[in-house]
Amino acid sequence: MAASLSYFSGVSLSATEKPSIPSLSTSHNRRVCFSNSSRNKHKHHDCVSLSSRWKPPCTARAIKIVAAAQKEPLKVMIAGAPASGKGTQCELIKNKFGLVHISAGDLLRAEIATGSENGKKAKEFMEKGMLVPNEIVVMMVKERLMKPDVEQNGWLLDGYPRSLSQAMALENLGIRPDIFILLEVSDELLVERVVGRRLDPVTGKIYHLKYSPPENEEIASRLTQRFDDTEEKVKLRLKTHYQNVESVISLYESVLFKVNGDVSKEEVFSEIDKGISAILENKRTVDSASMAAGVAQ
C-alpha cells in the first residue's frame, strides 16, 4: 500500500535532557531550626542559604507551567470521492482516537432541525432551491469546533472543506488540520461501488449487490436505487470532486496524507492509523519540550 505523509515537525528531547527541579532535602530541614543559643546566628545564615537554594514558584510561573503542560487536541480532515469508503474510515478513526466526528451535511441538517439562527438562514436558501452560502456553513462549522467536547477531544472534519473558498474561509479563522487524509480510489472501482448500491426503504440500511448483498429475497425485492447512483451521474460527480479536491489540497500540501483506498477497509485503516499515530507522537514530543521550557523559565 502506498501512503505518504509530507509533514512532521517538532522538537525532541534526549533521555538525559531532564529539567533540574530544586528540592528540599531532609538534611536541610534538620539544619533550619529556632534556638536561643549563641549558634542562632549561624542557623539564621543556614536559613538564608537555604532560601537562596530553593524558592517556591510564584503563581504566574505555576500558571505558565500548567499551560505548557496542556495538550493541543488532534485536528483531522478527511476527503474522498463518492463511495471511497470515507464514512467507514471516519467511524474507525472516531472509535480509535476518540475524536468528535463532524460532517458539514449532518451539521446543516441539525441546525435547521433545532431552528438556530444559522439554521433559519440556511433553510431560507434551501426553500428557494439555492445553495447555502459558504459563510453560513463556515460559521456553523466554526461554532461546532468551539464546543467543549471538541476542544477537549479534538475533531474529525468529514468531507469539508470541498472547495478552495471554503478552505480559505477556515484558514482565515485559524482553523487548520494537523493532517489532511485523502482516500484515493480508482474510478473503475468507484463506479462499481456506487452503481451497485441499494437502499432498503423500510430499515434505511444500505446494501451492495456484490460486496454487501441483502440477507434474503424479501429484503432484495424491496431495495431501491438512488436516482443519481447511475454510471453517468457518478462520472459527473467524480469530475466535480476532482476539480474541487485539487484546489483544496493545494492549501494543505504540507499536511497531506494520501492513502490507497482500493484495498480492504482494514488495510486502509491500518495506513491511516500509522499516519495519525505519528502525528500524535510528534505532538507528545512538542508538548514535552514546551513543558520543559515552562519549568526552566
Side-chain angles (χ1 to χ4, degrees):
M1 175 174 299
S4 61
L5 184 58
S6 56
Y7 173 76
F8 290 106
S9 66
V11 180
S12 62
L13 289 176
S14 68
T16 57
E17 290 178 33
K18 296 180 180 179
S20 176
I21 303 177
S23 61
L24 276 173
S25 68
T26 306
S27 60
H28 286 162
N29 288 332
R30 283 198 299 265
R31 287 165 57 195
V32 181
C33 60
F34 295 97
S35 170
N36 293 322
S37 70
S38 60
R39 297 175 61 194
N40 191 46
K41 180 179 179 180
H42 297 291
K43 294 189 181 293
H44 174 71
H45 286 311
D46 279 343
C47 291
V48 174
S49 177
L50 176 59
S51 176
S52 65
R53 289 192 187 102
W54 179 84
K55 291 181 180 180
C58 64
T59 304
R61 184 179 174 219
I63 292 174
K64 182 182 289 187
I65 294 172
V66 171
Q70 291 178 343
K71 295 181 179 179
E72 183 72 18
L74 183 64
K75 297 164 287 189
V76 178
M77 287 182 181
I78 186 169
S84 62
K86 189 162 51 64
T88 298
Q89 295 306 318
C90 282
E91 191 67 21
L92 294 171
I93 293 170
K94 181 182 71 172
N95 292 339
K96 171 69 181 289
F97 298 99
L99 303 176
V100 178
H101 180 209
I102 301 171
S103 165
D106 292 344
L107 194 58
L108 183 62
R109 287 185 283 272
E111 292 281 339
I112 293 173
T114 57
S116 69
E117 192 62 34
N118 284 326
K120 291 176 182 177
K121 292 178 182 177
K123 188 176 181 180
E124 290 177 7
F125 285 95
M126 294 174 71
E127 287 177 342
K128 296 176 183 177
M130 302 169 64
L131 292 175
V132 179
N134 284 340
E135 55 267 25
I136 294 179
V137 181
V138 168
M139 287 308 299
M140 288 182 180
V141 172
K142 178 190 175 184
E143 290 176 7
R144 183 65 186 93
L145 294 180
M146 293 174 65
K147 298 291 185 181
D149 61 333
V150 177
E151 292 185 341
Q152 179 179 348
N153 301 310
W155 48 261
L156 169 62
L157 201 49
D158 176 4
Y160 192 87
R162 293 187 178 183
S163 66
L164 182 59
S165 60
Q166 292 173 351
M168 287 300 301
L170 293 179
E171 189 81 2
N172 292 335
L173 291 171
I175 299 171
R176 186 174 178 82
D178 296 310
I179 182 172
F180 186 97
I181 300 169
L182 178 63
L183 301 179
E184 295 186 312
V185 182
S186 64
D187 285 359
E188 182 181 355
L189 184 54
L190 288 171
V191 171
E192 182 185 43
R193 287 178 179 177
V194 173
V195 173
R197 285 193 307 205
R198 295 294 186 272
L199 169 68
D200 183 345
V202 175
T203 64
K205 184 177 179 179
I206 300 293
Y207 291 91
H208 192 280
L209 298 181
K210 179 179 179 180
Y211 302 110
S212 181
E215 293 86 352
N216 53 57
E217 287 298 324
E218 180 185 353
I219 296 175
S221 65
R222 67 181 186 234
L223 296 182
T224 61
Q225 184 180 27
R226 275 177 42 172
F227 75 93
D228 56 347
D229 277 356
T230 63
E231 184 171 347
E232 181 183 3
K233 295 287 187 181
V234 171
K235 289 181 176 179
L236 288 174
R237 286 158 64 191
L238 288 177
K239 183 178 179 180
T240 302
H241 163 75
Y242 291 133
Q243 290 173 343
N244 289 335
V245 80
E246 284 299 321
S247 62
V248 171
I249 63 177
S250 65
L251 187 63
Y252 300 124
E253 191 71 39
S254 63
V255 292
L256 180 62
F257 185 71
K258 295 181 178 181
V259 178
N260 176 16
D262 282 350
V263 294
S264 70
K265 63 181 181 182
E266 291 82 9
E267 291 176 282
V268 173
F269 181 67
S270 177
E271 290 302 308
I272 291 175
D273 189 5
K274 291 175 185 176
I276 294 180
S277 295
I279 288 289
L280 286 172
E281 181 59 33
N282 180 67
K283 277 181 169 290
R284 280 192 287 268
T285 302
V286 173
D287 288 339
S288 296
S290 298
M291 185 174 181
V295 172
Q297 293 176 9

